[in-house]
Amino acid sequence: MDRQQITGLILIGGLTLYIIFFSPKPEVQKQTNNTEQKNKKDSTSHQNDKATLSQNIQVDTTQQALFRQEQFGIFSPIAHGIEKEINIENEDLHIIFSNKGGTIKQVTLKKYTTYTGTPLIIFDAEKSIFQTHFTSFNKAFAFTDFFFIPQEKKITSDTTQIIFRAYIDAQRYIEQTYTIPQKGYLISYSHQLIGLSTDVSPQNVAIHWKNNVAHIEKDINDLRARTFINYYTTEEEKDELGDNSVSLEQESIDTPLKWISFKQKFFSTALIPKEPFQSADISTKVDEQDPNSAKQMIATIQINPKNWTQEKFICNLFFGPNEYNTLKEIAPDFSSNIDFGWAILKWINKGFMLPIFHFLETITLNHGIIIIILVVLIRIILLPLTYHSFIGMAKMRILKPEIDQIKEKYPDDLQKQQVENMNLYKQVGVNPLSGCIPMLLQLPILFAMFYFFPNIIELRQKPFLWAEDLSTYDSIASLPFSIPFYGSHVSLFTLLMTASSLLLTWFTNQMTTVQGPMKVLQYIAPIMFLGLLNSYSAGLSFYYFVSNIASVAQQELIRKLINEKKIRKKLDENRKKNQNKNKSSFQLKIEDAMKKAKDKKNTKGGSKN
């Protein structure tokens, strides 16, 4: 091996040793070290973030405490917490309370549903408000600003009591108490401030009450029209706000109030204080763009200062149906939350119709049959008046030829016609109003039904034939458009009522002497009622339909019983008896007044010529 080869081997060996021992580390090893360094850095970063987060939480909590202290003052200890719900039930109500505000959050009527079949929630804090406002050191507060500690207990075997207390310290706290009986719709409520008489103002203490009535009935327009605020003053006067109104209505009541009610068509929520409320500002309005809202009712009610600081404020809360036997036990004139009409109509509905209706409910569960029985009973009761009316119409029909002769004899002298007609009536002993007065006496019952059937909860969701609910309209067809004064649906009961009214009018005209425009008007009236009653209670339309059919049958029966020959004979006997009888003083006065009026007319006519 020569020198050059040896030198080359030494160089190669040296290069190999250099590569093994002195070359840079492989790339894989470098990546591994980089990953370890990254993980170490991330771990350090997380630890720093956690420390920073903990520091931020501590800072935020301190800031919130300072903010609460500034905003709520002495009430700051009760101005924070976690909201919890408490459920209480009796036979009729499911009530959800909240410790935030110690207030009622939701009330569900267990025995009723909406028109769609869902649970009927009569009060919901998501859309409604019930809270007490007061002032302390010129700052305004509400109970709903505070968190209360609830305590539930049984005071008797059938009565539950839930007490909410908000402790500022051991000596100062706010207490609210709700007492719920085993059944019924009345909740007893009270609140008082313990040890706070020097910290709160006795003035400007008010209950803010708002109820956004949901679309719980089929006809939202009818629901809106029958939803309003009722109130009863210490002067024993009942009044209302918002009846049939969709616009904003407002009123300030300065007279003390015995109760105030947010009245719906079939349900009410009400406040009935032990001592009268001092005053109230009330308002109602409708958002016609919201199909799920019927009407919003708001009341700001001032509490008497002595009920606030010197003693407990005690009040009954009513959440229930407008059922007469229930309402009449709640408070004076509280049953007026059911609109039975005015004066005599109210007496007929409360004193006659409702007791009979309730009695018939014990006999049959079918409310359509109850309506038919009511018609028959009323027809029997009114039969003497109806018979007397038809006798009077028969007499006028017999005298019609003689009346027509008088009209032909004095065609241009209406006053002379009236005098001669009165002489004729006197001779034959006929009262020209004898056929009308009995019919007029029946009108109060006819009008009373107009208030009775649409407002009694007993018909709510009661089906009959094709009608799913007798308390609202029955619809056999929906129209793609709305007809003014009629609507966008077709009510079959209303059509039947209209047809039967036209039939009854035709039968009646066969027995009367009505002529001219009045006769035509009698046929127009049923057509007008077709539009008016198309959106009314199906029970009302069905009642009128059955009543018309019964009237036609009754007329036919009476016509067969009336002997016109005997009536004519009686009139002739009266004529002979009264032929030489002197005129009464009343008749002489009437004739004298007519004569003077005629002379005055002739004098004016002569002066013009």
Side-chain angles (χ1 to χ4, degrees):
M1 182 180 295
D2 57 9
R3 186 182 292 178
Q4 291 181 345
Q5 290 176 332
I6 293 173
T7 301
L9 289 173
I10 292 173
L11 291 173
I12 293 172
L15 180 62
T16 301
L17 291 173
Y18 177 82
I19 292 173
I20 294 174
F21 293 103
F22 299 101
S23 66
K25 292 181 180 180
E27 185 67 21
V28 175
Q29 181 67 33
K30 183 178 180 180
Q31 290 177 355
T32 303
N33 291 342
N34 288 341
T35 302
E36 291 176 355
Q37 291 177 2
K38 184 177 184 297
N39 289 341
K40 185 177 180 180
K41 181 179 180 181
D42 289 345
S43 176
T44 303
S45 176
H46 283 311
Q47 290 177 358
N48 292 337
D49 289 345
K50 186 175 181 180
T52 302
L53 180 62
S54 176
Q55 184 180 3
N56 289 341
I57 291 174
Q58 184 65 35
V59 170
D60 287 344
T61 302
T62 303
Q63 290 176 346
Q64 289 174 358
L66 291 174
F67 177 76
R68 284 195 300 271
Q69 181 65 39
E70 181 180 353
Q71 184 178 6
F72 296 103
I74 64 169
F75 299 101
S76 60
I78 58 175
H80 66 101
I82 299 174
E83 184 175 9
K84 295 180 181 179
E85 295 181 350
I86 303 96
N87 288 266
I88 303 290
E89 292 190 52
N90 67 5
E91 290 184 14
D92 302 293
L93 300 174
H94 177 199
I95 312 158
I96 300 177
F97 294 93
S98 172
N99 69 322
K100 189 177 188 303
T103 189
I104 294 175
K105 190 171 184 179
Q106 189 178 93
V107 179
T108 303
L109 302 184
K110 296 168 66 174
K111 296 180 181 179
Y112 298 91
T113 62
T114 68
Y115 76 103
T116 59
T118 57
L120 200 155
I121 300 172
I122 193 172
F123 180 87
D124 188 352
E126 290 186 3
K127 297 181 179 180
S128 303
I129 297 171
F130 176 72
Q131 61 185 13
T132 301
H133 290 257
F134 66 96
T135 58
S136 175
F137 302 107
N138 297 321
K139 286 188 176 182
F141 300 99
F143 281 4
T144 47
D145 295 330
F146 310 135
F147 288 83
F148 289 72
I149 301 171
Q151 180 185 1
E152 181 183 338
K153 64 179 182 179
K154 288 277 188 180
I155 57 174
T156 64
S157 60
D158 59 357
T159 303
T160 302
Q161 192 174 79
I162 180 166
I163 301 171
F164 289 94
R165 286 179 179 171
Y167 286 93
I168 297 169
D169 52 42
Q171 288 75 37
R172 296 180 298 175
Y173 60 90
I174 302 172
E175 180 179 278
Q176 297 182 84
T177 303
Y178 298 86
T179 304
I180 302 98
Q182 184 180 19
K183 62 180 180 179
Y185 305 97
L186 206 60
I187 301 171
S188 177
Y189 168 73
S190 67
H191 67 235
Q192 60 179 331
L193 277 69
I194 308 299
L196 289 165
S197 59
T198 60
D199 298 307
V200 299
S201 170
Q203 305 299 324
N204 302 321
V205 182
I207 293 176
H208 185 59
W209 187 26
K210 170 186 169 184
N211 196 354
N212 197 344
V213 178
H215 183 184
I216 61 175
E217 308 295 347
K218 179 180 178 180
D219 188 349
I220 191 169
N221 292 323
D222 184 51
L223 176 59
R224 285 170 174 167
R226 300 178 190 275
T227 296
F228 46 88
I229 299 178
N230 272 343
Y231 59 89
Y232 189 73
T233 70
T234 53
E235 297 175 356
E236 299 187 347
E237 294 181 354
K238 178 258 178 186
D239 210 339
E240 60 194 33
L241 176 74
D243 186 13
N244 292 312
S245 175
V246 297
S247 59
L248 176 63
E249 300 285 338
Q250 295 177 309
E251 183 180 351
S252 293
I253 308 168
D254 297 327
T255 306
L257 301 167
K258 287 188 175 181
W259 55 261
I260 183 168
S261 168
F262 287 173
K263 183 260 180 192
Q264 304 175 27
K265 181 178 181 180
F266 292 125
F267 304 95
S268 291
T269 59
L271 305 182
I272 307 106
K274 181 179 180 181
E275 298 293 333
F277 291 126
Q278 199 169 25
S279 60
D281 293 315
I282 58 177
S283 65
T284 65
K285 65 178 181 178
V286 171
D287 182 2
E288 296 185 89
Q289 305 303 317
D290 186 356
N292 297 317
S293 173
K295 183 175 283 188
Q296 185 183 92
M297 298 178 284
I298 301 174
T300 301
I301 308 166
Q302 299 297 322
I303 298 176
N304 193 314
K306 75 172 186 177
N307 298 136
W308 173 247
T309 55
Q310 299 177 17
E311 56 190 63
K312 278 186 179 181
F313 168 74
I314 302 174
C315 180
N316 283 330
L317 311 177
F318 177 80
F319 301 93
N322 294 335
E323 197 275 324
Y324 179 72
N325 288 335
T326 299
L327 299 188
K328 70 180 183 179
E329 303 295 333
I330 300 298
D333 205 30
F334 197 70
S335 62
S336 61
N337 281 293
I338 307 173
D339 187 6
F340 280 132
W342 42 268
I344 189 173
L345 306 185
K346 184 184 296 185
W347 181 86
I348 291 172
N349 284 327
K350 291 169 64 174
F352 175 71
M353 291 299 302
L354 202 59
I356 294 178
F357 192 94
H358 286 160
F359 171 75
L360 293 176
E361 280 187 310
T362 64
I363 298 175
T364 174
L365 296 177
N366 191 309
H367 287 74
I369 301 300
I370 290 176
I371 293 174
I372 295 174
I373 296 173
L374 278 175
V375 170
V376 174
L377 289 176
I378 292 173
R379 287 288 121 195
I380 292 174
I381 293 171
L382 296 177
L383 182 59
L385 286 176
T386 305
Y387 182 79
H388 188 72
S389 176
F390 276 81
I391 291 293
M393 286 190 287
K395 292 177 179 179
M396 295 299 296
R397 191 166 55 253
I398 292 171
L399 294 175
K400 188 176 183 304
E402 296 183 55
I403 295 172
D404 291 340
Q405 288 179 5
I406 294 173
K407 194 178 295 184
E408 292 175 1
K409 187 176 180 180
Y410 307 101
D412 301 322
D413 194 340
L414 294 178
Q415 291 182 345
K416 187 65 175 177
Q417 289 181 25
Q418 293 175 356
V419 171
E420 293 298 321
N421 286 341
M422 289 182 64
N423 290 333
L424 175 62
Y425 298 147
K426 183 177 183 298
Q427 288 177 4
V428 297
V430 170
N431 183 351
L433 300 178
S434 61
C436 301
I437 292 177
M439 298 297 289
L440 291 175
L441 292 176
Q442 300 180 43
L443 287 180
I445 294 180
L446 185 70
F447 290 143
M449 300 304 98
F450 192 80
Y451 288 93
F452 182 76
F453 288 108
N455 289 306
I456 58 169
I457 195 172
E458 286 81 356
L459 286 183
R460 185 178 186 268
Q461 297 181 352
K462 296 298 189 295
F464 180 66
L465 299 178
W466 57 84
E468 298 177 352
D469 185 347
L470 285 171
S471 70
T472 187
Y473 63 82
D474 62 300
S475 178
I476 59 169
S478 297
L479 304 176
F481 49 83
S482 180
I483 302 174
F485 305 107
Y486 183 76
S488 59
H489 64 272
V490 178
S491 169
L492 182 54
F493 276 139
T494 308
L495 290 176
L496 292 173
M497 179 212 68
T498 303
S500 63
S501 296
L502 293 172
L503 178 64
L504 177 60
T505 301
W506 183 84
F507 267 89
T508 304
N509 283 339
Q510 306 308 305
M511 303 183 68
T512 64
T513 58
V514 177
Q515 298 293 328
M518 284 299 297
K519 190 170 185 178
V520 176
L521 186 62
Q522 290 179 344
Y523 288 97
I524 295 177
I527 305 299
M528 295 175 62
F529 276 101
L530 172 64
L532 177 65
L533 298 181
N534 190 59
S535 295
Y536 259 67
S537 161
L540 177 65
S541 297
F542 180 63
Y543 172 86
Y544 284 156
F545 165 65
V546 177
S547 182
N548 289 339
I549 296 300
S551 295
V552 171
Q554 195 176 57
Q555 285 190 18
E556 281 300 292
L557 177 62
I558 292 175
R559 284 180 67 177
K560 292 180 179 179
L561 295 176
I562 292 176
N563 190 329
E564 291 193 3
K565 291 182 178 180
K566 288 185 177 180
I567 294 176
R568 188 183 298 275
K569 183 179 179 181
K570 179 65 176 177
L571 295 179
D572 291 338
E573 291 176 356
N574 290 340
R575 193 194 304 268
K576 292 178 181 178
K577 187 189 302 182
N578 298 325
Q579 190 170 8
N580 298 320
K581 191 174 182 180
N582 294 329
K583 296 179 180 180
S584 65
S585 59
F586 177 75
Q587 189 174 3
L588 290 172
K589 288 180 181 179
I590 293 293
E591 290 182 3
D592 183 58
M594 289 181 174
K595 184 178 179 181
K596 288 180 179 179
K598 183 179 178 181
D599 292 341
K600 187 176 181 180
K601 183 178 179 182
N602 291 336
T603 302
K604 287 183 178 181
S607 61
K608 287 181 181 180
N609 293 332

